[in-house]
Amino acid sequence: MLASLLVPDDIDRLIDSLADLVRRHRNLTVRLARETGLAASHMAVLATLGRLGEVRLHALADELFVDPSVVSRHISALEQEGCIDRRPDPADARAALIRLSHSGEAALSGVRERRRRHLQSAMADWTQPEVAALATTLQTVAPLLDQATSEVSE
């Protein structure tokens, strides 16, 4: 099995690097929250809705790995700010479907543009192939982390 060929020191270095990457991403998100006036948790909700489209609250909570009551509070605040549209779920009148409003799409677009500018500035000496290679590597790593998470849960 390939897993037995992996060197523990390399795995430990990978774990430390991933933790550092997450911490630095969180720091950038906090900076963007200050710049935009949008709470970091609200940015996460908007970004997830931007990726998923219209969903039920429970599906959004599952995707964010938080309790539905937490997402419900964020959705209520974002709805008051005009960033979220909510409508009854035609398949189940007791449930609602939520999605980004036009204002929510604009807010998310603004956050993404600021994030893009920060990263472009930080990666100014990188070539396009280097950036593309990193993006491909990270896209490969994300499902592996999901797999590791599900194995821990079992």
Side-chain angles (χ1 to χ4, degrees), residues 19 54 129 137 140:
E54 188 174 63
T137 299
T140 304

Side-chain angles (χ1 to χ4, degrees), residues 55-62 67-69 71-73 75 86 96-98:
V55 294
R56 285 185 177 182
L57 187 131
H58 282 277
L60 181 60
D62 288 347
D67 190 83
S69 65
V71 172
S72 180
R73 286 191 296 275
I75 292 299
R86 185 189 310 238
L97 295 172
I98 51 176

Side-chain angles (χ1 to χ4, degrees), residues 39 41-42 45 57 60-61 64 66-81 84 86 98:
S41 56
H42 290 182
V45 170
L57 187 131
L60 181 60
L64 291 167
V66 296
D67 190 83
S69 65
V70 172
V71 172
S72 180
R73 286 191 296 275
H74 293 312
I75 292 299
S76 292
L78 286 165
E79 190 174 27
Q80 287 179 352
E81 293 173 16
I84 300 290
R86 185 189 310 238
I98 51 176

